[in-house]
Amino acid sequence: MSQSQESRKIARLVRVPTAQEAHLLCQLLADAGIEARVVGDYLDAGFGSLHTIPAEVWVYEDDLERAREVLQRQRHDSGADATDERTLPD
C-alpha cells in the first residue's frame, strides 16, 4: 500500500443483509476500478444460518460518489428501484 493510500479516509458505502451480497457488491466495484472492503462478514458466524448482523461495504471517501453511481446503475439495470429493500438504510 502506498503512503497516499494509508492516509486516505474510508467511508461506509452500504449495509446489506448478507456477507455474500456484500462480496458481490465488492466485486462489482472492483470491476469498475473502485477498491472496496467488506466489514462484518464474519460477525454472524456463531449464529449459523441466521443473518442477524448485516455486512457493510466500505470504500475510500474520494471514491464514494462514483461507488454510489455504480450501485445505482446496477440497481437500475437489475430492475431494482432506488429504495431496494435488500439494502439497509445507514
Side-chain angles (χ1 to χ4, degrees), residues 13 63-74:
L13 174 64
D63 291 330
L64 187 58
E65 189 58 38
R66 194 163 60 99
R68 286 178 176 152
E69 291 170 5
V70 168
L71 293 186
Q72 185 69 19
R73 187 169 50 248
Q74 184 272 337

Side-chain angles (χ1 to χ4, degrees), residues 33-80:
I34 300 170
E35 187 175 348
R37 295 280 189 261
V38 175
V39 176
D41 55 341
Y42 294 109
L43 292 177
D44 65 353
F47 294 109
S49 63
L50 296 175
H51 297 288
T52 58
I53 302 173
E56 300 175 344
V57 177
W58 288 67
V59 298
Y60 287 112
E61 279 187 347
D62 53 348
D63 291 330
L64 187 58
E65 189 58 38
R66 194 163 60 99
R68 286 178 176 152
E69 291 170 5
V70 168
L71 293 186
Q72 185 69 19
R73 187 169 50 248
Q74 184 272 337
R75 288 179 181 150
H76 179 268
D77 292 348
S78 70

